[in-house]
Amino acid sequence: MRIAIVGAGLAGLTAAYELREVAAAEDSQVDVFEASDRIGGKLFTVPFNDGPVDLGAEAFLARREDAVEFFTELGLADSLVEPSGKSSLVYSGGELQNLPRGGVMGIPSTSAPIAHLVSEETARKIDAEADTAAINWTVGEDRSIGKLVRERYGDEVVDRVVSSLLGGVYSCLADDLGIRATVPQLAEALDALAEAGERVTLSGAVSKIEQSRPAPGGGEAKPVFNAFAGGYAELYETLAEKSGADIHLDTFVSGITFDAKNSTYTIAGQGVPGDAEPYDRVIVATPAPTTARLLSKAAPEAAEALKPVKLASSAIVGFKFDSDAGLPDSSGLLIAADQPGVHAKAFTFSSKKWPHIKNRIGDGAVIRASFGRFGDDSLAREDEDTLVDYALDDLLAITGFDAREAGVSEIYTQRWFGGLPRFDENHLATVATVREKLTAQPGLDVTGAWAGGVGVPAVVADARAAAKRVREG
Ligand SMILES: Cc1cc2nc3c(=O)[nH]c(=O)nc-3n(C[C@H](O)[C@H](O)[C@H](O)COP(=O)(O)OP(=O)(O)OC[C@H]3O[C@@H](n4cnc5c(N)ncnc54)[C@H](O)[C@@H]3O)c2cc1C
């Protein structure tokens, strides 16, 4: 059997690993075509002098046991590291404040957790929400999370809290994100209230989620996130090596055609070997707009259905400073969407957040500055000097940490054009339609963050499932 995989990001490499027995079999071949000159896609570890640091994804949801088991199967269990547990901050109203605890993605069930971040009027609105007209919610529906929270609790909750938290994960404001794709537990709680014939309110749904959580102190609390001590390079290099696939870098795939008579696929593109024999199966593991283009000949209806998915761009600047004196003792900070005069959207104080990084660098500091949100590529396009100045100025203004004084010894900048799909309120329906249209096309499958969900465990699970479907025909 001959299998082609387009894209050597996490999804493509995971699929290739899952197909390792095919690659090893006689008369079989697995080819991975990657447009860029490196593997990993949005996983990208750079070699700071004191050790590797991630400039794309840096952590994963360790509560996803399937992911931890998968990394263990890969022999990477000993590489998994835990965060320090230091809290995070939010810069809002010109002040550094504690990030609210409780609630879900910053959406509280009462005003108490966010009272320090919003006006008294907003706090009263939150506390009165349960007594206002119920939400007209249909089980299974989806909506913009920003719009719902604005209607129920007011703008400040969205602009100061929810967009900061969701923006850190999705590079989008809350208004551009759907509830079901980004905070599924909230969608489920709203469904449950509607199904039970109870009054559907936002505070009621959040309170339902809070009640379902285990009481604190029950058993050993495990950290929510883990990372790889050697950065994500450990993962993508292991996947590539163990897959046994032939990985073709600098190979830009421009089209996939289907030969119905022989039920085979031909891959066209710059760098694709001209004499490559047709493939029996193909997995497209590229971002949504590229996938739509690549499916346009072999599966035009699926391609058309996928077109509405848009991407958000961002940029990360990673710094090593000689000293961390004066840096707040926290994991990092988010910046409220309505905060004027600040260019960055978040800072990760990597050497405070991750003990393995701190142990390597002693008195120094490693900090990642993040820029850019959906709908505005201007910051992702700024030149490096400007981004560096923005980051250092913002750090000084927000935290008082004078990074220039501390001594900047290393800088890495990485731009992520189209880094993340926008998971709006139509996204899950779009994915379902694409999958449904593809069932008519034998041997052709899709995977990736847009299809499976943004987090590393979700991408891994989606790619494994795609490989299984392709393997089993
Ligand atoms: C800045 C940032 C921070 C993140 N932080 C986290 C985090 O901390 N935790 C977490 O769980 N997730 C995080 N994520 C999300 C996670 O990194 C991604 O969801 C995941 O890596 C996406 O993998 P993928 O394989 O679907 O896509 P990609 O990584 O985009 O891989 C697609 C690959 O296809 C290649 N390609 C594209 N077009 C073509 C073509 N025509 N021909 C051949 N090859 C092509 C690309 O070059 C790329 O290598 C973050 C994402 C970003 C951008």
Side-chain angles (χ1 to χ4, degrees):
M1 190 192 306
R2 289 175 53 78
I3 301 179
I5 298 172
V6 187
L10 176 62
L13 292 174
T14 301
Y17 168 78
E18 287 294 318
L19 293 167
R20 63 197 178 283
E21 283 173 15
V22 178
E26 218 171 299
D27 294 335
S28 284
Q29 174 76 18
V30 177
D31 283 317
V32 182
F33 297 113
E34 167 55 46
S36 75
D37 60 1
R38 53 168 288 271
I39 59 168
K42 271 89 195 188
L43 305 183
F44 182 32
T45 309
V46 296
F48 275 63
N49 285 336
D50 300 307
V53 173
D54 280 311
L55 282 198
E58 54 136 22
F60 69 91
L61 200 55
R63 289 196 179 148
R64 284 282 300 253
E65 285 174 15
D66 56 341
V68 176
E69 279 164 21
F70 182 64
F71 301 146
T72 304
E73 175 187 317
L74 290 171
L76 296 173
D78 290 343
S79 298
L80 301 184
V81 287
E82 297 183 348
S84 62
K86 290 185 200 292
S87 62
S88 293
L89 303 166
V90 60
Y91 185 60
S92 178
E95 282 177 46
L96 262 187
Q97 318 255 19
N98 288 324
L99 205 62
R101 289 181 183 270
V104 54
M105 272 294 175
I107 309 168
S109 58
T110 72
S111 66
I114 63 166
H116 59 298
L117 292 167
V118 297
S119 62
E120 282 177 21
E121 190 191 341
T122 296
R124 275 196 297 275
K125 192 172 164 81
I126 296 168
D127 291 329
E129 191 261 352
D131 301 322
T132 56
I135 303 170
N136 188 7
W137 182 264
T138 310
V139 176
E141 76 160 278
D142 206 356
R143 292 185 195 184
S144 149
I145 189 148
K147 194 157 176 273
L148 181 75
V149 180
R150 275 183 207 286
E151 278 167 13
R152 305 300 296 186
Y153 286 174
D155 293 341
E156 288 173 357
V157 181
V158 178
D159 297 334
R160 300 186 182 173
V161 189
V162 185
S163 274
S164 322
L165 280 154
L166 284 171
V169 180
Y170 293 98
S171 283
C172 285
L173 295 174
D175 305 84
D176 292 316
L177 296 170
I179 302 173
R180 213 165 277 278
T182 60
V183 197
Q185 61 277 49
L186 179 59
E188 284 159 23
L190 291 162
D191 281 353
L193 289 174
E195 242 160 6
E198 292 176 36
R199 272 171 61 73
V200 183
T201 63
L202 185 56
S203 51
V206 175
S207 152
K208 210 173 172 51
I209 297 167
E210 289 172 332
Q211 282 159 23
S212 68
R213 288 185 182 139
E220 196 192 331
K222 280 191 161 181
V224 177
F225 293 100
N226 274 8
F228 287 87
Y232 268 117
E234 291 202 65
L235 176 60
Y236 54 77
E237 282 168 6
T238 303
L239 287 170
E241 190 192 316
K242 294 199 172 202
S243 71
D246 283 341
I247 299 174
H248 308 263
L249 298 179
D250 296 314
T251 306
F252 179 87
V253 174
S254 55
I256 301 169
T257 45
F258 182 57
D259 174 352
K261 197 162 138 241
N262 297 307
S263 206
T264 55
Y265 294 89
T266 302
I267 305 284
Q270 219 174 359
V272 179
D275 56 355
E277 284 174 43
Y279 293 89
D280 305 296
R281 314 271 160 85
V282 177
I283 297 179
V284 183
T286 53
T290 308
T291 304
R293 267 200 308 283
L294 293 180
L295 295 181
S296 61
K297 286 203 179 102
E301 287 188 9
E304 201 52 41
L306 188 49
K307 275 187 182 162
V309 179
K310 302 275 182 285
L311 305 176
S313 296
S314 57
I316 306 265
V317 185
F319 295 92
K320 159 81 196 302
F321 301 109
D322 297 333
S323 160
D324 69 353
L327 191 67
D329 194 27
S330 78
S331 290
L333 63 93
L334 300 167
I335 291 148
D338 66 352
Q339 179 61 53
V342 181
H343 291 95
K345 70 174 175 194
F347 287 94
T348 309
F349 303 155
S350 307
S351 47
K352 299 265 186 193
K353 181 173 178 181
W354 300 106
H356 68 283
I357 295 183
K358 181 68 190 165
N359 292 342
R360 291 197 302 238
I361 63 165
D363 293 337
V366 172
I367 295 180
R368 288 171 26 136
S370 308
F371 296 91
R373 288 195 180 100
F374 177 76
D376 181 5
D377 284 0
S378 58
L379 282 164
R381 292 185 188 284
E382 279 292 4
D383 60 72
E384 184 177 68
D385 288 350
T386 306
L387 288 177
V388 167
D389 278 338
Y390 284 162
L392 302 188
D393 291 347
D394 288 349
L395 268 177
L396 181 60
I398 295 172
T399 68
F401 174 65
D402 190 339
R404 293 180 180 91
E405 188 71 21
V408 187
S409 52
E410 282 172 271
I411 299 172
Y412 282 94
T413 300
Q414 178 62 34
R415 291 160 219 283
W416 294 115
F417 291 114
L420 290 164
R422 176 184 56 161
F423 291 83
D424 68 6
E425 62 269 33
N426 303 311
H427 187 83
L428 294 183
T430 299
V431 174
T433 308
V434 173
R435 290 209 189 281
E436 195 257 319
K437 302 280 181 203
L438 271 179
T439 52
Q441 191 55 44
L444 180 60
D445 220 307
V446 293
T447 183
W450 66 266
V454 77
V456 161
V459 174
V460 166
D462 193 73
R464 296 179 83 188
K468 187 163 183 271
R469 286 192 296 269
V470 158
R471 194 175 51 230
E472 292 171 2

